Amino acid sequence: EKYKEEGNNCLRNKDYEGAAELYSQAIESSPNGPKSHIYFANRAAARHYLKQYRGAIDDCEAAIERDDSYAKAHSRLGLAHAALNEWPKALKAHKRALELDPNNKQT
């Protein structure tokens, strides 16, 4: 949890590489723990800012494998697919995010 909080601080300060590294440490410390889906989804956000879209997709898929009901992972998956002009996949991911969290204005 410490790594996640530090990663969140890096993300807020636009230190995306630092955030990705800290989220990686959180994943290493608890790859299948109760909050690991959040760590993967957060690293996906950092990787998206770094334009590492394939890595972001991999992380979102890992987050979804751990918790399919985590709307942020689906939303971030849609963003990564959209960045790669993979529109059908982007649409599918965003639809799922909206099903899970219909009041989310970011989706």
Side-chain angles (χ1 to χ4, degrees), residues 31-96:
N32 295 301
K35 294 187 177 183
S36 61
H37 63 288
I38 296 170
Y39 307 152
F40 278 102
N42 286 4
R43 187 171 70 180
R47 286 179 162 179
H48 186 88
Y49 285 116
L50 293 167
K51 298 184 181 352
Q52 297 173 357
Y53 304 120
R54 288 283 166 218
I57 288 168
D58 291 343
D59 282 344
C60 289
E61 289 174 347
I64 291 165
E65 283 177 18
R66 286 159 177 78
D67 184 352
D68 183 57
S69 67
Y70 192 52
K72 281 186 182 179
H74 291 279
S75 179
R76 290 174 181 163
L77 179 61
L79 289 173
H81 281 302
L84 295 171
N85 295 318
E86 296 173 348
W87 301 112
K89 291 179 180 179
L91 182 61
K92 181 180 176 186
H94 280 297
K95 280 183 177 180
R96 179 69 176 133

Side-chain angles (χ1 to χ4, degrees), residues 1 3 22-40 66:
E1 195 64 16
Y3 294 123
L22 286 160
Y23 295 136
S24 292
Q25 290 179 30
I27 291 164
E28 287 172 24
S29 71
S30 181
N32 295 301
K35 294 187 177 183
S36 61
H37 63 288
I38 296 170
Y39 307 152
F40 278 102
R66 286 159 177 78

